[in-house]
Amino acid sequence: VSPSDRERHACCQAHGPRARTATAGARSLYGAARVSAARAVIAEAVVAEPGAFTAEDLHATPTVRSAGVGLATVYRALAAMQDAGAIAPVGERGGSALLARCTRGDHHHHFVCTSCGSVAGVDCPLGDAARDSVERDGRLVTRHEITLYGLCATCRASGGDA
Amino acid sequence: VSPSDRERHACCQAHGPRARTATAGARSLYGAARVSAARAVIAEAVVAEPGAFTAEDLHATPTVRSAGVGLATVYRALAAMQDAGAIAPVGERGGSALLARCTRGDHHHHFVCTSCGSVAGVDCPLGDAARDSVERDGRLVTRHEITLYGLCATCRASGGDA
DNA sequence: GTATGTGCAAACCTTTTGCACCAAC
DNA sequence: GTTGGTGCAAAAGGTTTGCACATAC
């Protein structure tokens, strides 16, 4: 499915030398890939998104829709962002992949509020002890996927229906 | 691989008074749901599966295919098993959902060998400290998904390409 | 100048569903 | 006898891709 390293969590790589223009802000989201007008608009929509989102969510955004950007282009741009480590999959909603922006560059995971969709980065809870326990029988752990779900502080305070 | 160890499932509700027939062995996989001839065959294929599998994998099995069981029926049976807690999703392969049998009834997660597809249950590595750390800001963690990937002892010993 | 992105629409593919029928309980 | 499972085929629906054109670098 993903031939490249669309799974890594390397959000912030060194930026190339470039003046700060409209597309310059988007550049970091795409890594080394080219930044077209459509991609700049999509990046803008991603940054404006408060929490988790689907490709369709972005495509339905006024910003993106009014720019006449096609849904296929959104998918391709999101794949590029994922390759760059700027976004990561955080689950699914109604059969569509849920994505969220990675705002930290170190190894981490995500907490997703099931009520409002807000996302928070969390430290990796997989300690050496747990890892050793799994590898004790000769196994080698090369990768892991961890996502936490629940209620954020705001939704929890308002009864979980906000 | 041994078709006779079918003890201890999450869904292991008290079995009704019933002779041990072919469908009796499958009963625990389906919980309270009905067990038809087709479902018995599908259960047999699931138990015979050494590791992770897709719906199509099972459907392509000689046992299932020769019984004339439809793919839709396989999907519906797998959904029933999942409801009963007898199997669980452990990732995806080529766009298809990967499932694996749960052989322990307590809260646990899965290690999947990316080389041979074998699956092992692992204790939940999410300790109280990690959980408290996430909930410190007022959040409430209600659910989490954890899956580990890597090489099993056998594949690791044979260079990981087995 | 060339490699890469875009838009459109069709293709893809896994999974779900409607329906008539049959079987488990 | 009723409820729930089955098979077939068609539908659903998210994601991908082919192609001709445009554009970032």
Side-chain angles (χ1 to χ4, degrees):
Chain A
V1 173
S2 58
S4 45
D5 53 349
R6 204 170 293 166
E7 340 227 313
R8 283 175 16 198
H9 279 236
C11 302
C12 298
Q13 343 183 263
H15 301 177
R18 183 80 181 175
R20 177 165 281 275
T21 66
T23 62
R27 191 166 310 280
S28 60
L29 291 179
Y30 292 106
R34 289 188 188 176
V35 179
S36 65
R39 292 201 167 182
V41 169
I42 296 169
E44 188 184 336
V46 165
V47 172
E49 207 65 41
F53 53 84
T54 67
E56 189 59 60
D57 287 343
L58 290 182
H59 187 239
T61 285
T63 323
V64 173
R65 183 161 291 280
S66 67
V69 174
L71 181 56
T73 299
V74 173
Y75 273 105
R76 285 184 277 224
L78 290 177
M81 286 190 203
Q82 213 167 320
D83 284 345
I87 62 176
V90 294
E92 61 101 24
R93 185 179 67 207
S96 304
L98 264 187
L99 303 166
R101 218 185 140 199
C102 280
T103 51
R104 44 189 277 190
D106 61 334
H107 176 65
H108 65 287
H109 300 282
H110 296 99
F111 170 91
V112 183
C113 176
T114 53
S115 181
C116 72
S118 68
V119 176
V122 303
D123 293 330
C124 181
L126 199 62
D128 287 338
R131 187 204 184 92
D132 289 348
S133 160
V134 176
E135 295 191 332
R136 185 164 302 145
D137 295 324
R139 280 182 278 265
L140 175 69
V141 177
T142 57
R143 190 166 60 89
H144 60 268
E145 287 171 7
I146 300 179
T147 309
L148 285 70
Y149 302 91
L151 295 175
C152 68
T154 306
C155 289
R156 190 181 184 182
S158 61
D161 288 314
Chain B
V1 180
S2 66
S4 55
D5 81 326
R6 48 173 100 80
E7 318 291 277
R8 309 171 19 174
H9 295 285
C11 61
C12 246
Q13 348 191 295
H15 298 176
R18 181 92 181 162
R20 180 165 280 273
T21 66
T23 63
R27 191 167 310 282
S28 61
L29 291 180
Y30 292 106
R34 288 188 190 174
V35 179
S36 64
R39 292 201 168 184
V41 169
I42 296 169
E44 188 184 336
V46 165
V47 172
E49 207 65 40
F53 54 84
T54 67
E56 188 59 59
D57 287 342
L58 290 182
H59 187 238
T61 285
T63 323
V64 174
R65 182 160 292 280
S66 68
V69 174
L71 181 57
T73 299
V74 173
Y75 273 105
R76 285 184 278 225
L78 291 177
M81 285 191 203
Q82 212 167 325
D83 285 345
I87 62 176
V90 295
E92 61 100 26
R93 185 180 67 208
S96 304
L98 263 187
L99 303 166
R101 211 178 147 208
C102 280
T103 52
R104 45 188 278 190
D106 60 335
H107 175 63
H108 65 286
H109 299 281
H110 296 98
F111 171 91
V112 183
C113 176
T114 54
S115 181
C116 72
S118 68
V119 176
V122 304
D123 292 331
C124 181
L126 199 60
D128 287 338
R131 187 203 184 92
D132 289 348
S133 160
V134 175
E135 295 190 333
R136 184 165 303 146
D137 295 323
R139 281 182 278 264
L140 175 68
V141 177
T142 57
R143 191 166 60 89
H144 61 266
E145 287 172 7
I146 300 179
T147 309
L148 282 64
Y149 302 92
L151 296 174
C152 69
T154 306
C155 289
R156 190 181 185 181
S158 61
D161 288 313

